[in-house]
Amino acid sequence: MQVCELCARICEACAAECEKHAHHHEHCRQCAEACQRCAEACRSQMSITA
């Protein structure tokens, strides 16, 4: 399994968890957004190197 694929999966899991709390805490919303961007960047990198 590639590093980018693992990174994308971890970021997606983080985003999902943070989204559960985002309506209560601003830092969770920001974390969820950052994790989503990270997952997108990892998937983009995977498509470039494929």
Side-chain angles (χ1 to χ4, degrees):
M1 197 174 289
Q2 294 181 344
V3 172
C4 288
E5 184 178 350
L6 288 173
C7 181
R9 288 183 183 192
I10 291 168
C11 290
E12 289 166 353
C14 179
E17 184 63 27
C18 290
E19 285 175 358
K20 293 177 185 177
H21 307 279
H23 61 284
H24 292 296
H25 306 285
E26 176 65 14
H27 63 272
C28 291
R29 184 190 63 77
Q30 292 175 0
C31 183
E33 290 175 0
C35 289
Q36 290 167 350
R37 287 191 304 272
C38 180
E40 290 172 15
C42 290
R43 286 191 296 273
S44 176
Q45 185 65 31
M46 286 172 21
S47 68
I48 291 171
T49 59

